Amino acid sequence: MNAGRITLMGCGIDNLTMEETLGTIEGFIASGTPHQHVAINVDKLVKASRDPALQRIINDCALVNVDGMPVVWAARLLGKPLKERVAGVDLFEALMRRAAARGWRVFLCGARDEVVREVAATYQRNYPQLVLAGWRNGYWQGEAEEAQAALQIRDAHPDLLFVAISSPKKEQFLGRWQAEMKVPFAMGVGGTFDVAIGRVKRAPLWMQKAGLEWFYRFLQEPRRMFRRYFIDDMAFVWLFIKEAATRGGR
Protein backbone atom coordinates (compact mmCIF):
# COMPACT_ATOMS: atom_id res chain seq x y z
CA MET A 1 0.00 0.00 0.00
CA ASN A 2 1.21 3.48 -0.90
CA ALA A 3 2.28 5.50 2.12
CA GLY A 4 0.29 8.46 0.79
CA ARG A 5 -3.01 6.55 0.64
CA ILE A 6 -5.98 8.36 2.14
CA THR A 7 -9.33 6.87 3.15
CA LEU A 8 -12.42 8.48 1.71
CA MET A 9 -15.92 7.18 2.41
CA GLY A 10 -14.50 3.80 3.33
CA CYS A 11 -12.21 3.41 0.31
CA GLY A 12 -8.46 3.92 0.13
CA ILE A 13 -7.15 6.24 -2.60
CA ASP A 14 -3.47 6.68 -3.48
CA ASN A 15 -2.49 10.34 -3.59
CA LEU A 16 -0.49 10.24 -6.81
CA THR A 17 -0.06 12.32 -9.95
CA MET A 18 -0.28 10.71 -13.38
CA GLU A 19 3.52 10.54 -13.63
CA GLU A 20 3.83 9.02 -10.17
CA THR A 21 1.15 6.49 -11.11
CA LEU A 22 3.03 5.50 -14.27
CA GLY A 23 6.24 5.12 -12.30
CA THR A 24 4.47 2.90 -9.76
CA ILE A 25 3.10 0.71 -12.56
CA GLU A 26 6.56 0.39 -14.11
CA GLY A 27 7.72 -0.97 -10.76
CA PHE A 28 4.84 -3.47 -10.72
CA ILE A 29 5.75 -4.74 -14.18
CA ALA A 30 9.43 -5.01 -13.29
CA SER A 31 8.49 -7.11 -10.26
CA GLY A 32 6.61 -9.68 -12.36
CA THR A 33 4.10 -10.28 -9.56
CA PRO A 34 0.33 -9.63 -9.88
CA HIS A 35 -1.14 -6.24 -8.97
CA GLN A 36 -4.70 -4.97 -9.33
CA HIS A 37 -5.69 -1.37 -10.05
CA VAL A 38 -9.01 0.39 -9.55
CA ALA A 39 -10.21 3.87 -10.46
CA ILE A 40 -12.52 5.54 -7.96
CA ASN A 41 -15.38 7.79 -9.03
CA VAL A 42 -18.72 8.74 -7.50
CA ASP A 43 -20.45 5.62 -8.78
CA LYS A 44 -17.72 3.34 -7.40
CA LEU A 45 -17.87 4.95 -3.94
CA VAL A 46 -21.65 4.57 -3.84
CA LYS A 47 -21.51 0.93 -4.94
CA ALA A 48 -18.76 0.15 -2.41
CA SER A 49 -20.76 1.75 0.40
CA ARG A 50 -23.53 -0.77 -0.30
CA ASP A 51 -21.32 -3.79 -1.01
CA PRO A 52 -18.73 -4.69 1.66
CA ALA A 53 -17.17 -7.32 -0.65
CA LEU A 54 -16.56 -4.69 -3.34
CA GLN A 55 -15.15 -2.29 -0.77
CA ARG A 56 -12.79 -5.02 0.40
CA ILE A 57 -11.61 -5.67 -3.18
CA ILE A 58 -10.95 -1.96 -3.69
CA ASN A 59 -9.00 -1.65 -0.45
CA ASP A 60 -6.93 -4.72 -1.30
CA CYS A 61 -5.87 -3.24 -4.66
CA ALA A 62 -2.21 -2.38 -5.02
CA LEU A 63 -3.05 0.91 -6.74
CA VAL A 64 -6.17 3.10 -6.44
CA ASN A 65 -6.52 6.31 -8.44
CA VAL A 66 -9.22 8.96 -8.27
CA ASP A 67 -11.18 9.29 -11.52
CA GLY A 68 -13.83 11.96 -11.11
CA MET A 69 -13.61 15.63 -10.20
CA PRO A 70 -16.46 15.45 -7.65
CA VAL A 71 -14.36 12.98 -5.67
CA VAL A 72 -11.35 15.31 -5.89
CA TRP A 73 -13.48 18.19 -4.62
CA ALA A 74 -15.01 16.10 -1.84
CA ALA A 75 -11.56 15.01 -0.65
CA ARG A 76 -10.40 18.63 -0.56
CA LEU A 77 -13.45 19.77 1.40
CA LEU A 78 -12.91 16.93 3.87
CA GLY A 79 -9.33 18.01 4.48
CA LYS A 80 -7.78 15.21 2.46
CA PRO A 81 -6.58 16.99 -0.70
CA LEU A 82 -5.47 14.85 -3.64
CA LYS A 83 -2.72 15.92 -6.03
CA GLU A 84 -4.78 15.43 -9.18
CA ARG A 85 -7.37 13.37 -10.96
CA VAL A 86 -5.92 10.40 -12.84
CA ALA A 87 -8.66 9.57 -15.32
CA GLY A 88 -8.87 5.92 -16.35
CA VAL A 89 -9.12 6.72 -20.05
CA ASP A 90 -5.99 8.93 -19.84
CA LEU A 91 -4.09 6.27 -17.91
CA PHE A 92 -5.08 3.62 -20.46
CA GLU A 93 -3.81 5.77 -23.33
CA ALA A 94 -0.54 6.58 -21.52
CA LEU A 95 0.04 2.90 -20.74
CA MET A 96 -0.62 1.79 -24.31
CA ARG A 97 1.90 4.35 -25.51
CA ARG A 98 4.44 3.29 -22.89
CA ALA A 99 3.82 -0.41 -23.58
CA ALA A 100 4.77 0.14 -27.21
CA ALA A 101 7.95 1.95 -26.16
CA ARG A 102 8.93 -0.60 -23.48
CA GLY A 103 7.92 -3.80 -25.26
CA TRP A 104 5.31 -4.71 -22.63
CA ARG A 105 2.79 -7.35 -23.65
CA VAL A 106 -0.84 -6.16 -23.57
CA PHE A 107 -4.07 -8.16 -23.31
CA LEU A 108 -7.42 -6.51 -24.08
CA CYS A 109 -10.50 -8.08 -22.51
CA GLY A 110 -14.01 -6.72 -22.75
CA ALA A 111 -16.83 -5.29 -24.85
CA ARG A 112 -18.21 -7.07 -27.91
CA ASP A 113 -16.02 -8.95 -30.38
CA GLU A 114 -16.20 -6.25 -33.04
CA VAL A 115 -15.32 -3.52 -30.53
CA VAL A 116 -12.30 -5.22 -28.97
CA ARG A 117 -11.03 -6.21 -32.42
CA GLU A 118 -11.29 -2.59 -33.54
CA VAL A 119 -9.44 -1.42 -30.41
CA ALA A 120 -6.66 -3.93 -31.12
CA ALA A 121 -6.41 -2.85 -34.78
CA THR A 122 -6.47 0.86 -33.88
CA TYR A 123 -3.62 0.63 -31.39
CA GLN A 124 -1.53 -1.65 -33.56
CA ARG A 125 -1.91 0.93 -36.31
CA ASN A 126 -1.12 3.87 -34.01
CA TYR A 127 1.78 2.10 -32.28
CA PRO A 128 3.38 -0.40 -34.70
CA GLN A 129 5.79 -1.61 -31.99
CA LEU A 130 2.96 -2.54 -29.64
CA VAL A 131 2.97 -6.21 -28.63
CA LEU A 132 -0.56 -7.54 -28.20
CA ALA A 133 -0.54 -10.77 -26.22
CA GLY A 134 -4.19 -11.30 -27.13
CA TRP A 135 -7.74 -10.04 -26.88
CA ARG A 136 -11.20 -11.40 -26.27
CA ASN A 137 -14.74 -10.15 -25.64
CA GLY A 138 -16.08 -9.49 -22.16
CA TYR A 139 -19.02 -11.87 -22.29
CA TRP A 140 -19.11 -15.24 -20.58
CA GLN A 141 -21.79 -17.32 -18.91
CA GLY A 142 -21.22 -19.01 -15.57
CA GLU A 143 -18.15 -20.01 -13.61
CA ALA A 144 -16.75 -22.42 -16.21
CA GLU A 145 -16.62 -19.82 -19.00
CA GLU A 146 -15.21 -17.22 -16.62
CA ALA A 147 -12.46 -19.64 -15.59
CA GLN A 148 -11.74 -20.31 -19.27
CA ALA A 149 -11.36 -16.58 -19.91
CA ALA A 150 -8.97 -16.25 -16.96
CA LEU A 151 -6.87 -19.18 -18.18
CA GLN A 152 -6.74 -17.70 -21.69
CA ILE A 153 -5.33 -14.50 -20.23
CA ARG A 154 -2.87 -16.37 -17.99
CA ASP A 155 -1.57 -18.46 -20.89
CA ALA A 156 -0.96 -15.32 -23.00
CA HIS A 157 1.53 -14.05 -20.35
CA PRO A 158 0.67 -10.34 -20.62
CA ASP A 159 2.38 -7.60 -18.63
CA LEU A 160 -0.72 -5.41 -18.79
CA LEU A 161 -4.37 -6.47 -18.74
CA PHE A 162 -7.23 -4.07 -19.48
CA VAL A 163 -10.74 -5.28 -18.59
CA ALA A 164 -13.54 -3.30 -20.24
CA ILE A 165 -16.65 -4.58 -18.50
CA SER A 166 -19.02 -2.80 -16.13
CA SER A 167 -18.62 -2.29 -12.38
CA PRO A 168 -18.63 -4.14 -10.09
CA LYS A 169 -18.14 -7.12 -12.45
CA LYS A 170 -14.64 -6.10 -13.54
CA GLU A 171 -13.45 -5.58 -9.96
CA GLN A 172 -14.96 -8.90 -8.92
CA PHE A 173 -13.41 -10.73 -11.88
CA LEU A 174 -9.96 -9.37 -11.14
CA GLY A 175 -10.38 -9.96 -7.41
CA ARG A 176 -11.18 -13.62 -8.07
CA TRP A 177 -8.58 -14.35 -10.75
CA GLN A 178 -5.57 -12.03 -10.49
CA ALA A 179 -3.58 -14.47 -8.34
CA GLU A 180 -4.20 -17.19 -10.94
CA MET A 181 -3.65 -15.02 -14.02
CA LYS A 182 -0.42 -13.58 -12.58
CA VAL A 183 -0.60 -10.36 -14.62
CA PRO A 184 1.82 -7.75 -13.23
CA PHE A 185 -0.72 -4.96 -13.78
CA ALA A 186 -4.45 -5.48 -14.30
CA MET A 187 -6.82 -2.56 -14.69
CA GLY A 188 -10.56 -2.29 -15.15
CA VAL A 189 -11.33 0.31 -17.81
CA GLY A 190 -15.13 0.25 -18.08
CA GLY A 191 -16.29 1.99 -21.26
CA THR A 192 -12.80 3.12 -22.31
CA PHE A 193 -12.72 0.87 -25.39
CA ASP A 194 -15.72 2.71 -26.85
CA VAL A 195 -14.01 6.05 -26.21
CA ALA A 196 -10.70 4.83 -27.65
CA ILE A 197 -12.24 4.03 -31.04
CA GLY A 198 -14.60 7.01 -31.13
CA ARG A 199 -17.89 5.18 -30.56
CA VAL A 200 -18.44 7.36 -27.50
CA LYS A 201 -17.14 10.93 -27.57
CA ARG A 202 -15.27 12.29 -24.60
CA ALA A 203 -16.29 15.60 -23.08
CA PRO A 204 -14.37 18.76 -24.07
CA LEU A 205 -11.48 19.59 -21.78
CA TRP A 206 -13.34 22.47 -20.12
CA MET A 207 -16.15 20.11 -19.13
CA GLN A 208 -13.65 17.59 -17.76
CA LYS A 209 -12.04 20.28 -15.61
CA ALA A 210 -15.43 21.58 -14.50
CA GLY A 211 -16.48 18.13 -13.34
CA LEU A 212 -19.17 17.87 -16.02
CA GLU A 213 -17.84 14.87 -17.93
CA TRP A 214 -20.62 12.74 -16.45
CA PHE A 215 -23.22 15.16 -17.84
CA TYR A 216 -21.69 15.00 -21.31
CA ARG A 217 -21.88 11.20 -21.11
CA PHE A 218 -25.52 11.44 -20.00
CA LEU A 219 -26.36 13.61 -23.02
CA GLN A 220 -24.97 10.90 -25.32
CA GLU A 221 -26.79 8.01 -23.63
CA PRO A 222 -29.66 9.53 -21.59
CA ARG A 223 -31.82 6.42 -21.30
CA ARG A 224 -28.92 4.21 -20.24
CA MET A 225 -27.27 6.66 -17.84
CA PHE A 226 -30.26 8.40 -16.20
CA ARG A 227 -30.70 5.95 -13.34
CA ARG A 228 -26.98 5.84 -12.55
CA TYR A 229 -26.44 9.58 -12.45
CA PHE A 230 -29.75 10.92 -11.16
CA ILE A 231 -30.91 8.16 -8.83
CA ASP A 232 -28.17 5.76 -7.70
CA ASP A 233 -25.30 8.24 -7.50
CA MET A 234 -27.30 10.80 -5.51
CA ALA A 235 -26.32 8.73 -2.46
CA PHE A 236 -22.85 10.30 -2.81
CA VAL A 237 -24.23 13.50 -1.26
CA TRP A 238 -25.27 11.60 1.86
CA LEU A 239 -21.93 9.79 2.03
CA PHE A 240 -20.20 13.17 1.94
CA ILE A 241 -22.47 14.63 4.65
CA LYS A 242 -21.95 11.57 6.85
CA GLU A 243 -18.15 11.76 6.53
CA ALA A 244 -18.13 15.53 7.08
CA ALA A 245 -20.24 15.08 10.22
CA THR A 246 -17.91 12.35 11.51
CA ARG A 247 -14.90 14.57 10.87
CA GLY A 248 -16.58 17.54 12.55
CA GLY A 249 -17.34 15.47 15.62
CA ARG A 250 -13.73 14.55 16.27
Side-chain angles (χ1 to χ4, degrees):
M1 183 183 293
N2 188 289
R5 180 170 288 195
I6 70 163
T7 299
L8 189 71
M9 302 175 193
C11 291
I13 300 174
D14 293 312
N15 193 5
L16 300 172
T17 65
M18 173 65 81
E19 282 305 311
E20 289 169 341
T21 295
L22 290 169
T24 299
I25 295 167
E26 286 214 28
F28 291 164
I29 294 171
S31 77
T33 57
H35 299 81
Q36 182 176 347
H37 170 276
V38 68
I40 291 291
N41 56 19
V42 166
D43 190 63
K44 200 76 57 68
L45 284 172
V46 170
K47 282 183 168 66
S49 73
R50 297 168 173 167
D51 184 348
L54 175 61
Q55 189 176 90
R56 187 162 52 251
I57 291 170
I58 291 169
N59 288 329
D60 285 344
C61 283
L63 182 60
V64 183
N65 286 127
V66 59
D67 182 353
M69 286 306 299
V71 181
V72 174
W73 295 332
R76 187 180 305 149
L77 289 170
L78 290 167
K80 303 174 182 181
L82 294 162
K83 293 175 182 177
E84 67 178 18
R85 174 194 183 201
V86 180
V89 64
D90 294 331
L91 182 57
F92 170 76
E93 181 63 42
L95 285 170
M96 292 294 275
R97 186 166 56 247
R98 194 163 292 201
R102 303 283 199 275
W104 297 335
R105 295 169 58 82
V106 173
F107 197 105
L108 304 171
C109 175
R112 300 184 304 277
D113 277 322
E114 64 270 23
V115 172
V116 71
R117 280 200 303 268
E118 188 175 348
V119 173
T122 297
Y123 281 90
Q124 285 186 311
R125 183 170 60 250
N126 292 346
Y127 304 110
Q129 302 304 313
L130 181 67
V131 181
L132 281 180
W135 62 87
R136 61 152 294 136
N137 67 53
Y139 294 90
W140 47 76
Q141 296 294 326
E143 295 179 3
E145 285 189 19
E146 180 177 282
Q148 186 178 31
L151 293 176
Q152 179 186 351
I153 294 166
R154 183 199 66 185
D155 292 344
H157 303 292
D159 298 300
L160 297 169
L161 167 64
F162 298 106
V163 180
I165 57 180
S166 61
S167 289
K169 293 180 180 178
K170 61 180 179 289
E171 289 83 14
Q172 293 165 347
F173 171 73
L174 291 174
R176 281 192 293 268
W177 293 102
Q178 249 296 67
E180 175 71 23
M181 293 188 297
K182 297 181 173 63
V183 183
F185 181 74
M187 174 183 178
V189 293
T192 294
F193 287 1
D194 286 325
V195 176
I197 59 176
R199 291 197 174 204
V200 173
K201 292 183 179 179
R202 196 165 180 205
L205 188 59
W206 73 266
M207 292 189 81
Q208 295 178 40
K209 291 182 177 179
L212 292 172
E213 194 162 11
W214 67 271
F215 186 64
Y216 190 83
R217 178 75 186 278
F218 166 72
L219 292 177
Q220 293 185 77
E221 300 181 274
R223 294 182 65 181
R224 178 167 173 256
M225 306 307 292
F226 179 84
R227 180 175 180 83
R228 170 177 167 175
Y229 290 139
F230 292 100
I231 299 176
D232 295 342
D233 287 359
M234 288 299 101
F236 179 74
V237 176
W238 298 110
L239 290 175
F240 175 82
I241 292 171
K242 181 179 177 181
E243 184 143 333
T246 300
R247 179 178 170 80
R250 288 175 186 172

